[in-house]
Amino acid sequence: ALQGICDGIINGPLIALMDDSCPAGRRSDVESMNASVGGVAASVGPLLGLIVFATTGNSWTTFSMKVVICVGIFLSLLAIIPCLLMHDKYALAESSEAVHLQQNLLESQRWRSEKSTCFGLVTVQRVCIVMFINQLILTVGAGMTVKFVPVFFKEEAHLKPVLLQAVFGSLNLFAGLGNLLANRLSKKFGRLQVIICGYILGIICTMLMGTVRSYYTVPAVMLPIFLTRCICMWSCTPLLGSIIADYTPKATRGRWKALSSVAVVGWSGSAAVGGWLIDHTGFGVTFVITACFQSCSIPIM
């Protein structure tokens, strides 16, 4: 819980500074590349865990899990070094301002920035609010099950530790490639269009994880569903973040990014709800409830 709070405090200002250092219209490239690099780096953790489990008997023992956690904590401390090189004075000026507040907008762009939808309820100025609500729904929904996926594969699918670590290691690599692919597709079809399609596919896969109970012990079925679900959802996250940043005034961008900590708190709280549901109804029903809850985000977009 404490680590989640710290991550919420740290990640908001860091991402806000990155967005302030990137001109509007290019944030999808930067955020997608940042997510891809982060995914590749995150894959190292499960691979190291794979090595530890392989050398300690490939079983879920307290000693092997302690070694994995300690190694991960040590490596995470190295992130302090690049943070020491960052400063607000290196951020851009007007070119990183919200797109609808820039003074040098073309007339066609200025007309588009004055449009509204949903009977005037959603304006350009409210895009960040709508997208944040969408992000909050998805995050709270994911928190109900994401922390229990390793337990699901251990208890229901009976996967060995080495195989499970290999799955999560490859997942981060595939998600990194998915970020780049989603960004490329967004150039052709639009960011929101790609996000909606990705979330729909991810939600369908989450629903399948709850309904194909007879295949829980068949890795060839469950692992592709799980990988597809995560890749589709995670690949759209940088695009959603870039939309929020493009329509958030620079003066309040740090505060909006700090609101991500609210999503982190909600994510942790929904994990408690998810744990209660799993204890009383099982993994299948909990996956179905998660999919239904996350589907509420689609009409908002």
Side-chain angles (χ1 to χ4, degrees), residues 218-253:
V218 184
V221 174
M222 296 309 300
L223 292 180
I225 293 176
F226 170 68
L227 290 173
T228 303
R229 180 261 173 205
C230 292
I231 292 170
C232 289
M233 301 288 280
W234 296 359
S235 297
C236 297
T237 301
L239 295 179
L240 182 61
S242 68
I243 293 176
I244 295 175
D246 278 346
Y247 288 92
T248 304
K250 186 174 181 178
T252 60
R253 191 170 291 148

mmCIF file of all heavy atoms in Angstrom, residues 218-253:
data_model
loop_
_atom_site.group_PDB
_atom_site.id
_atom_site.type_symbol
_atom_site.label_atom_id
_atom_site.label_comp_id
_atom_site.label_asym_id
_atom_site.label_seq_id
_atom_site.Cartn_x
_atom_site.Cartn_y
_atom_site.Cartn_z
ATOM 1 N N VAL A 218 -5.707 -25.414 -19.256
ATOM 2 C CA VAL A 218 -5.111 -25.544 -20.597
ATOM 3 C C VAL A 218 -4.334 -24.262 -20.903
ATOM 4 O O VAL A 218 -4.923 -23.268 -21.364
ATOM 5 C CB VAL A 218 -6.190 -25.790 -21.678
ATOM 6 C CG1 VAL A 218 -5.534 -26.019 -23.040
ATOM 7 C CG2 VAL A 218 -7.066 -26.964 -21.286
ATOM 8 N N PRO A 219 -3.027 -24.247 -20.659
ATOM 9 C CA PRO A 219 -2.232 -23.023 -20.885
ATOM 10 C C PRO A 219 -2.312 -22.500 -22.309
ATOM 11 O O PRO A 219 -2.255 -21.289 -22.532
ATOM 12 C CB PRO A 219 -0.809 -23.467 -20.529
ATOM 13 C CG PRO A 219 -0.979 -24.639 -19.622
ATOM 14 C CD PRO A 219 -2.214 -25.332 -20.097
ATOM 15 N N ALA A 220 -2.455 -23.392 -23.287
ATOM 16 C CA ALA A 220 -2.504 -22.976 -24.686
ATOM 17 C C ALA A 220 -3.731 -22.119 -24.981
ATOM 18 O O ALA A 220 -3.760 -21.395 -25.983
ATOM 19 C CB ALA A 220 -2.505 -24.205 -25.600
ATOM 20 N N VAL A 221 -4.739 -22.180 -24.125
ATOM 21 C CA VAL A 221 -5.941 -21.366 -24.288
ATOM 22 C C VAL A 221 -5.877 -20.129 -23.394
ATOM 23 O O VAL A 221 -6.103 -18.997 -23.854
ATOM 24 C CB VAL A 221 -7.212 -22.183 -23.958
ATOM 25 C CG1 VAL A 221 -8.454 -21.284 -23.988
ATOM 26 C CG2 VAL A 221 -7.365 -23.328 -24.941
ATOM 27 N N MET A 222 -5.562 -20.321 -22.112
ATOM 28 C CA MET A 222 -5.636 -19.222 -21.152
ATOM 29 C C MET A 222 -4.523 -18.193 -21.340
ATOM 30 O O MET A 222 -4.760 -16.989 -21.213
ATOM 31 C CB MET A 222 -5.584 -19.785 -19.724
ATOM 32 C CG MET A 222 -6.757 -20.675 -19.362
ATOM 33 S SD MET A 222 -8.363 -19.907 -19.712
ATOM 34 C CE MET A 222 -8.265 -18.448 -18.684
ATOM 35 N N LEU A 223 -3.315 -18.647 -21.643
ATOM 36 C CA LEU A 223 -2.211 -17.699 -21.774
ATOM 37 C C LEU A 223 -2.391 -16.739 -22.953
ATOM 38 O O LEU A 223 -2.178 -15.531 -22.797
ATOM 39 C CB LEU A 223 -0.880 -18.446 -21.875
ATOM 40 C CG LEU A 223 -0.450 -19.182 -20.602
ATOM 41 C CD1 LEU A 223 0.886 -19.880 -20.806
ATOM 42 C CD2 LEU A 223 -0.366 -18.220 -19.414
ATOM 43 N N PRO A 224 -2.791 -17.214 -24.149
ATOM 44 C CA PRO A 224 -3.038 -16.252 -25.237
ATOM 45 C C PRO A 224 -4.151 -15.254 -24.922
ATOM 46 O O PRO A 224 -4.054 -14.079 -25.280
ATOM 47 C CB PRO A 224 -3.425 -17.152 -26.419
ATOM 48 C CG PRO A 224 -2.760 -18.451 -26.140
ATOM 49 C CD PRO A 224 -2.834 -18.606 -24.646
ATOM 50 N N ILE A 225 -5.216 -15.721 -24.226
ATOM 51 C CA ILE A 225 -6.295 -14.798 -23.851
ATOM 52 C C ILE A 225 -5.770 -13.731 -22.906
ATOM 53 O O ILE A 225 -6.040 -12.533 -23.076
ATOM 54 C CB ILE A 225 -7.462 -15.569 -23.202
ATOM 55 C CG1 ILE A 225 -8.142 -16.482 -24.219
ATOM 56 C CG2 ILE A 225 -8.483 -14.594 -22.605
ATOM 57 C CD1 ILE A 225 -9.238 -17.354 -23.623
ATOM 58 N N PHE A 226 -4.986 -14.153 -21.904
ATOM 59 C CA PHE A 226 -4.440 -13.208 -20.935
ATOM 60 C C PHE A 226 -3.471 -12.233 -21.597
ATOM 61 O O PHE A 226 -3.527 -11.020 -21.353
ATOM 62 C CB PHE A 226 -3.735 -13.980 -19.818
ATOM 63 C CG PHE A 226 -2.931 -13.113 -18.898
ATOM 64 C CD1 PHE A 226 -3.561 -12.210 -18.042
ATOM 65 C CD2 PHE A 226 -1.551 -13.183 -18.873
ATOM 66 C CE1 PHE A 226 -2.826 -11.404 -17.188
ATOM 67 C CE2 PHE A 226 -0.808 -12.386 -18.036
ATOM 68 C CZ PHE A 226 -1.441 -11.487 -17.195
ATOM 69 N N LEU A 227 -2.593 -12.736 -22.456
ATOM 70 C CA LEU A 227 -1.624 -11.873 -23.123
ATOM 71 C C LEU A 227 -2.320 -10.861 -24.034
ATOM 72 O O LEU A 227 -1.957 -9.676 -24.052
ATOM 73 C CB LEU A 227 -0.634 -12.723 -23.927
ATOM 74 C CG LEU A 227 0.346 -13.570 -23.115
ATOM 75 C CD1 LEU A 227 1.139 -14.494 -24.033
ATOM 76 C CD2 LEU A 227 1.304 -12.683 -22.324
ATOM 77 N N THR A 228 -3.316 -11.324 -24.771
ATOM 78 C CA THR A 228 -4.057 -10.422 -25.662
ATOM 79 C C THR A 228 -4.768 -9.346 -24.868
ATOM 80 O O THR A 228 -4.772 -8.169 -25.260
ATOM 81 C CB THR A 228 -5.086 -11.210 -26.495
ATOM 82 O OG1 THR A 228 -4.412 -12.232 -27.235
ATOM 83 C CG2 THR A 228 -5.819 -10.290 -27.459
ATOM 84 N N ARG A 229 -5.362 -9.753 -23.741
ATOM 85 C CA ARG A 229 -6.074 -8.786 -22.895
ATOM 86 C C ARG A 229 -5.133 -7.676 -22.431
ATOM 87 O O ARG A 229 -5.436 -6.484 -22.563
ATOM 88 C CB ARG A 229 -6.672 -9.531 -21.701
ATOM 89 C CG ARG A 229 -7.441 -8.634 -20.738
ATOM 90 C CD ARG A 229 -6.611 -8.260 -19.544
ATOM 91 N NE ARG A 229 -7.296 -7.273 -18.713
ATOM 92 C CZ ARG A 229 -6.675 -6.429 -17.909
ATOM 93 N NH1 ARG A 229 -5.359 -6.438 -17.838
ATOM 94 N NH2 ARG A 229 -7.365 -5.578 -17.200
ATOM 95 N N CYS A 230 -3.985 -8.049 -21.906
ATOM 96 C CA CYS A 230 -3.050 -7.058 -21.362
ATOM 97 C C CYS A 230 -2.431 -6.196 -22.452
ATOM 98 O O CYS A 230 -2.302 -4.973 -22.295
ATOM 99 C CB CYS A 230 -1.949 -7.764 -20.577
ATOM 100 S SG CYS A 230 -2.517 -8.544 -19.056
ATOM 101 N N ILE A 231 -2.045 -6.807 -23.565
ATOM 102 C CA ILE A 231 -1.412 -6.052 -24.645
ATOM 103 C C ILE A 231 -2.370 -5.013 -25.211
ATOM 104 O O ILE A 231 -1.994 -3.850 -25.446
ATOM 105 C CB ILE A 231 -0.918 -7.010 -25.744
ATOM 106 C CG1 ILE A 231 0.234 -7.869 -25.223
ATOM 107 C CG2 ILE A 231 -0.466 -6.230 -26.974
ATOM 108 C CD1 ILE A 231 0.633 -8.991 -26.143
ATOM 109 N N CYS A 232 -3.625 -5.399 -25.432
ATOM 110 C CA CYS A 232 -4.612 -4.457 -25.983
ATOM 111 C C CYS A 232 -4.860 -3.289 -25.036
ATOM 112 O O CYS A 232 -4.928 -2.129 -25.464
ATOM 113 C CB CYS A 232 -5.922 -5.185 -26.275
ATOM 114 S SG CYS A 232 -5.853 -6.316 -27.672
ATOM 115 N N MET A 233 -5.008 -3.576 -23.753
ATOM 116 C CA MET A 233 -5.292 -2.518 -22.777
ATOM 117 C C MET A 233 -4.081 -1.633 -22.537
ATOM 118 O O MET A 233 -4.179 -0.404 -22.537
ATOM 119 C CB MET A 233 -5.761 -3.143 -21.464
ATOM 120 C CG MET A 233 -7.000 -4.011 -21.571
ATOM 121 S SD MET A 233 -8.521 -3.087 -21.846
ATOM 122 C CE MET A 233 -8.899 -2.534 -20.192
ATOM 123 N N TRP A 234 -2.928 -2.245 -22.324
ATOM 124 C CA TRP A 234 -1.728 -1.483 -21.998
ATOM 125 C C TRP A 234 -1.233 -0.656 -23.174
ATOM 126 O O TRP A 234 -0.678 0.426 -22.979
ATOM 127 C CB TRP A 234 -0.625 -2.421 -21.520
ATOM 128 C CG TRP A 234 -0.937 -3.141 -20.250
ATOM 129 C CD1 TRP A 234 -2.064 -3.021 -19.490
ATOM 130 C CD2 TRP A 234 -0.109 -4.091 -19.575
ATOM 131 N NE1 TRP A 234 -1.999 -3.839 -18.390
ATOM 132 C CE2 TRP A 234 -0.810 -4.513 -18.423
ATOM 133 C CE3 TRP A 234 1.137 -4.645 -19.841
ATOM 134 C CZ2 TRP A 234 -0.297 -5.457 -17.532
ATOM 135 C CZ3 TRP A 234 1.664 -5.581 -18.960
ATOM 136 C CH2 TRP A 234 0.958 -5.979 -17.815
ATOM 137 N N SER A 235 -1.419 -1.150 -24.393
ATOM 138 C CA SER A 235 -0.926 -0.422 -25.566
ATOM 139 C C SER A 235 -1.677 0.886 -25.787
ATOM 140 O O SER A 235 -1.148 1.800 -26.427
ATOM 141 C CB SER A 235 -1.053 -1.300 -26.817
ATOM 142 O OG SER A 235 -0.260 -2.459 -26.720
ATOM 143 N N CYS A 236 -2.890 0.982 -25.259
ATOM 144 C CA CYS A 236 -3.690 2.191 -25.441
ATOM 145 C C CYS A 236 -3.449 3.230 -24.347
ATOM 146 O O CYS A 236 -3.827 4.395 -24.512
ATOM 147 C CB CYS A 236 -5.173 1.833 -25.470
ATOM 148 S SG CYS A 236 -5.634 0.776 -26.853
ATOM 149 N N THR A 237 -2.835 2.833 -23.258
ATOM 150 C CA THR A 237 -2.637 3.755 -22.137
ATOM 151 C C THR A 237 -1.819 4.984 -22.507
ATOM 152 O O THR A 237 -2.190 6.109 -22.141
ATOM 153 C CB THR A 237 -1.980 3.012 -20.958
ATOM 154 O OG1 THR A 237 -2.824 1.922 -20.552
ATOM 155 C CG2 THR A 237 -1.784 3.946 -19.770
ATOM 156 N N PRO A 238 -0.687 4.855 -23.239
ATOM 157 C CA PRO A 238 0.060 6.063 -23.629
ATOM 158 C C PRO A 238 -0.751 7.010 -24.516
ATOM 159 O O PRO A 238 -0.631 8.234 -24.388
ATOM 160 C CB PRO A 238 1.273 5.501 -24.380
ATOM 161 C CG PRO A 238 1.426 4.107 -23.896
ATOM 162 C CD PRO A 238 0.031 3.632 -23.636
ATOM 163 N N LEU A 239 -1.580 6.466 -25.398
ATOM 164 C CA LEU A 239 -2.399 7.313 -26.255
ATOM 165 C C LEU A 239 -3.410 8.095 -25.432
ATOM 166 O O LEU A 239 -3.642 9.288 -25.673
ATOM 167 C CB LEU A 239 -3.120 6.457 -27.308
ATOM 168 C CG LEU A 239 -2.240 5.736 -28.329
ATOM 169 C CD1 LEU A 239 -3.107 4.905 -29.274
ATOM 170 C CD2 LEU A 239 -1.390 6.717 -29.106
ATOM 171 N N LEU A 240 -4.021 7.428 -24.460
ATOM 172 C CA LEU A 240 -4.978 8.112 -23.592
ATOM 173 C C LEU A 240 -4.286 9.207 -22.795
ATOM 174 O O LEU A 240 -4.805 10.320 -22.653
ATOM 175 C CB LEU A 240 -5.637 7.104 -22.648
ATOM 176 C CG LEU A 240 -6.701 7.655 -21.691
ATOM 177 C CD1 LEU A 240 -7.865 8.256 -22.469
ATOM 178 C CD2 LEU A 240 -7.209 6.557 -20.760
ATOM 179 N N GLY A 241 -3.076 8.911 -22.293
ATOM 180 C CA GLY A 241 -2.322 9.918 -21.552
ATOM 181 C C GLY A 241 -1.950 11.107 -22.409
ATOM 182 O O GLY A 241 -1.951 12.260 -21.945
ATOM 183 N N SER A 242 -1.637 10.868 -23.678
ATOM 184 C CA SER A 242 -1.261 11.979 -24.571
ATOM 185 C C SER A 242 -2.459 12.875 -24.867
ATOM 186 O O SER A 242 -2.311 14.095 -24.991
ATOM 187 C CB SER A 242 -0.670 11.425 -25.871
ATOM 188 O OG SER A 242 -1.654 10.758 -26.651
ATOM 189 N N ILE A 243 -3.665 12.295 -24.965
ATOM 190 C CA ILE A 243 -4.862 13.110 -25.184
ATOM 191 C C ILE A 243 -5.122 14.002 -23.979
ATOM 192 O O ILE A 243 -5.408 15.201 -24.113
ATOM 193 C CB ILE A 243 -6.083 12.207 -25.466
ATOM 194 C CG1 ILE A 243 -5.917 11.477 -26.797
ATOM 195 C CG2 ILE A 243 -7.370 13.030 -25.471
ATOM 196 C CD1 ILE A 243 -7.021 10.486 -27.104
ATOM 197 N N ILE A 244 -5.015 13.419 -22.790
ATOM 198 C CA ILE A 244 -5.220 14.206 -21.565
ATOM 199 C C ILE A 244 -4.224 15.358 -21.496
ATOM 200 O O ILE A 244 -4.578 16.497 -21.190
ATOM 201 C CB ILE A 244 -5.098 13.312 -20.328
ATOM 202 C CG1 ILE A 244 -6.232 12.278 -20.305
ATOM 203 C CG2 ILE A 244 -5.129 14.150 -19.043
ATOM 204 C CD1 ILE A 244 -6.125 11.272 -19.174
ATOM 205 N N ALA A 245 -2.956 15.076 -21.815
ATOM 206 C CA ALA A 245 -1.927 16.115 -21.742
ATOM 207 C C ALA A 245 -2.141 17.198 -22.799
ATOM 208 O O ALA A 245 -1.932 18.389 -22.536
ATOM 209 C CB ALA A 245 -0.543 15.485 -21.909
ATOM 210 N N ASP A 246 -2.576 16.807 -24.005
ATOM 211 C CA ASP A 246 -2.774 17.781 -25.085
ATOM 212 C C ASP A 246 -3.897 18.755 -24.788
ATOM 213 O O ASP A 246 -3.908 19.871 -25.326
ATOM 214 C CB ASP A 246 -3.066 17.054 -26.400
ATOM 215 C CG ASP A 246 -1.797 16.566 -27.085
ATOM 216 O OD1 ASP A 246 -0.705 17.003 -26.692
ATOM 217 O OD2 ASP A 246 -1.908 15.738 -28.018
ATOM 218 N N TYR A 247 -4.861 18.353 -23.965
ATOM 219 C CA TYR A 247 -6.004 19.213 -23.688
ATOM 220 C C TYR A 247 -6.027 19.715 -22.244
ATOM 221 O O TYR A 247 -7.060 20.171 -21.766
ATOM 222 C CB TYR A 247 -7.303 18.464 -24.013
ATOM 223 C CG TYR A 247 -7.516 18.294 -25.499
ATOM 224 C CD1 TYR A 247 -7.061 17.150 -26.151
ATOM 225 C CD2 TYR A 247 -8.135 19.283 -26.249
ATOM 226 C CE1 TYR A 247 -7.230 16.996 -27.523
ATOM 227 C CE2 TYR A 247 -8.313 19.140 -27.622
ATOM 228 C CZ TYR A 247 -7.855 17.991 -28.250
ATOM 229 O OH TYR A 247 -8.021 17.848 -29.602
ATOM 230 N N THR A 248 -4.893 19.618 -21.575
ATOM 231 C CA THR A 248 -4.781 20.138 -20.209
ATOM 232 C C THR A 248 -3.901 21.371 -20.215
ATOM 233 O O THR A 248 -2.770 21.323 -20.710
ATOM 234 C CB THR A 248 -4.164 19.090 -19.259
ATOM 235 O OG1 THR A 248 -4.942 17.898 -19.306
ATOM 236 C CG2 THR A 248 -4.129 19.609 -17.836
ATOM 237 N N PRO A 249 -4.378 22.516 -19.692
ATOM 238 C CA PRO A 249 -3.527 23.707 -19.626
ATOM 239 C C PRO A 249 -2.233 23.424 -18.877
ATOM 240 O O PRO A 249 -2.219 22.695 -17.887
ATOM 241 C CB PRO A 249 -4.398 24.713 -18.865
ATOM 242 C CG PRO A 249 -5.799 24.255 -19.113
ATOM 243 C CD PRO A 249 -5.731 22.755 -19.200
ATOM 244 N N LYS A 250 -1.152 24.011 -19.365
ATOM 245 C CA LYS A 250 0.159 23.735 -18.788
ATOM 246 C C LYS A 250 0.210 24.092 -17.304
ATOM 247 O O LYS A 250 0.858 23.404 -16.514
ATOM 248 C CB LYS A 250 1.219 24.516 -19.561
ATOM 249 C CG LYS A 250 2.645 24.200 -19.162
ATOM 250 C CD LYS A 250 3.629 24.908 -20.079
ATOM 251 C CE LYS A 250 5.062 24.571 -19.688
ATOM 252 N NZ LYS A 250 6.031 25.230 -20.603
ATOM 253 N N ALA A 251 -0.479 25.166 -16.918
ATOM 254 C CA ALA A 251 -0.433 25.617 -15.524
ATOM 255 C C ALA A 251 -1.056 24.609 -14.566
ATOM 256 O O ALA A 251 -0.704 24.566 -13.383
ATOM 257 C CB ALA A 251 -1.146 26.965 -15.389
ATOM 258 N N THR A 252 -1.990 23.787 -15.060
ATOM 259 C CA THR A 252 -2.660 22.822 -14.186
ATOM 260 C C THR A 252 -2.314 21.378 -14.531
ATOM 261 O O THR A 252 -2.896 20.463 -13.975
ATOM 262 C CB THR A 252 -4.188 23.000 -14.280
ATOM 263 O OG1 THR A 252 -4.609 22.781 -15.633
ATOM 264 C CG2 THR A 252 -4.594 24.391 -13.837
ATOM 265 N N ARG A 253 -1.353 21.189 -15.451
ATOM 266 C CA ARG A 253 -1.022 19.828 -15.890
ATOM 267 C C ARG A 253 -0.461 18.995 -14.747
ATOM 268 O O ARG A 253 -0.766 17.805 -14.622
ATOM 269 C CB ARG A 253 -0.028 19.891 -17.042
ATOM 270 C CG ARG A 253 0.176 18.560 -17.755
ATOM 271 C CD ARG A 253 0.978 18.776 -19.025
ATOM 272 N NE ARG A 253 0.197 19.505 -20.018
ATOM 273 C CZ ARG A 253 0.731 20.342 -20.913
ATOM 274 N NH1 ARG A 253 2.019 20.570 -20.924
ATOM 275 N NH2 ARG A 253 -0.049 20.945 -21.791
#
